[in-house]
Amino acid sequence: KDTDFNYLPNLKISLLFGKSYKRNVSIDRIRDHQIISEKFKKRIEEETIKPEIIVCSYPTIGLANQCIKFGKKHNIPVLIDIRDLWPDIFIEELLAKPLRFLALKTFNLLFKKHQYVFKNADGIIGITESILNWGLHYAKRKATEKDKVFHLSYNKSDLASTKVQLESLEK
């Protein structure tokens, strides 16, 4: 279900529930993305206090597109946090290598929102340098001080604890 976390008086994190999907490449995933972008658009317009910044995980194209439009309308900076190389991943999983370049160009022509998001983001976040560069490629610009890599990492103690938990489940 949709959930809001108010950690501090001026920090709210909103989680929007869409529709479950089992496969990375599926109609259910596309529908999930549509549901979430529609919920965001409705909820953000109803907010009485506008955010000072929006950090939007990407994908979804629709949600990121709504965040950028809202940010521009209200002069709010939007950072796009890339979590998946979507829609490129569809092309790579569905097509043979010789057809990918042509299909990717065609697919992106159909989804101008994808390019709009990266061209209009105030900053881009990636979990690796190559993922950040992927976003910058679609933005058609070089990195600025607002574009950063934040590697995913875990404390050693967390990993050790997880390993112990997994080993106990195997028994």
Side-chain angles (χ1 to χ4, degrees):
K1 67 179 184 172
D2 295 349
T3 307
D4 291 330
F5 295 99
N6 295 299
Y7 286 105
L8 300 169
N10 62 347
L11 176 61
K12 177 179 170 182
I13 297 175
S14 296
L15 305 175
L16 304 177
F17 181 76
K19 171 185 172 58
S20 299
Y21 57 90
K22 295 178 182 169
R23 296 191 56 232
N24 190 29
V25 179
S26 67
I27 297 298
D28 284 341
R29 183 176 183 177
I30 292 169
R31 182 67 185 129
D32 170 81
H33 292 190
Q34 183 181 9
I35 289 167
I36 290 171
S37 67
E38 289 169 2
K39 280 186 179 184
F40 172 81
K41 183 179 180 182
K42 183 177 188 282
R43 286 185 62 174
I44 196 71
E45 289 295 343
E46 292 172 353
E47 288 287 335
T48 53
I49 300 172
K50 300 301 180 206
E52 292 178 28
I53 188 169
I54 298 172
V55 179
C56 177
S57 292
Y58 181 93
T60 71
I61 292 174
L63 175 60
N65 185 56
Q66 291 298 336
C67 289
I68 297 287
K69 284 182 176 180
F70 183 82
K72 285 185 151 317
K73 180 179 175 183
H74 296 282
N75 199 29
I76 299 167
V78 179
L79 303 178
I80 298 297
D81 177 23
I82 304 170
R83 295 290 163 165
D84 193 352
L85 305 182
W86 201 95
D88 297 25
I89 195 76
F90 273 105
I91 303 303
E92 290 183 17
E93 287 190 22
L94 296 175
L95 297 175
K97 201 168 192 172
L99 300 174
R100 289 180 189 163
F101 179 76
L102 179 61
L104 188 56
K105 289 295 179 191
T106 303
F107 195 68
N108 279 326
L109 288 174
L110 297 173
F111 287 93
K112 287 290 188 187
K113 287 180 188 176
H114 172 71
Q115 292 170 328
Y116 172 83
V117 164
F118 290 104
K119 284 183 180 178
N120 289 281
D122 293 284
I124 300 173
I125 300 166
I127 57 172
T128 66
E129 197 70 38
S130 63
I131 289 176
L132 174 60
N133 289 336
W134 178 85
L136 292 169
H137 166 76
Y138 282 107
K140 296 187 188 240
R141 64 176 176 80
K142 294 189 185 288
T144 70
E145 69 281 350
K146 295 179 182 177
D147 305 307
K148 298 285 183 210
V149 172
F150 291 97
H151 299 283
L152 294 178
S153 63
Y154 302 91
N155 291 328
K156 261 188 165 178
S157 61
D158 291 345
L159 290 175
S161 171
T162 301
K163 184 179 176 188
V164 168
Q165 290 172 357
L166 289 173
E167 288 171 350
S168 69
L169 290 174
E170 290 174 356
K171 294 178 182 177

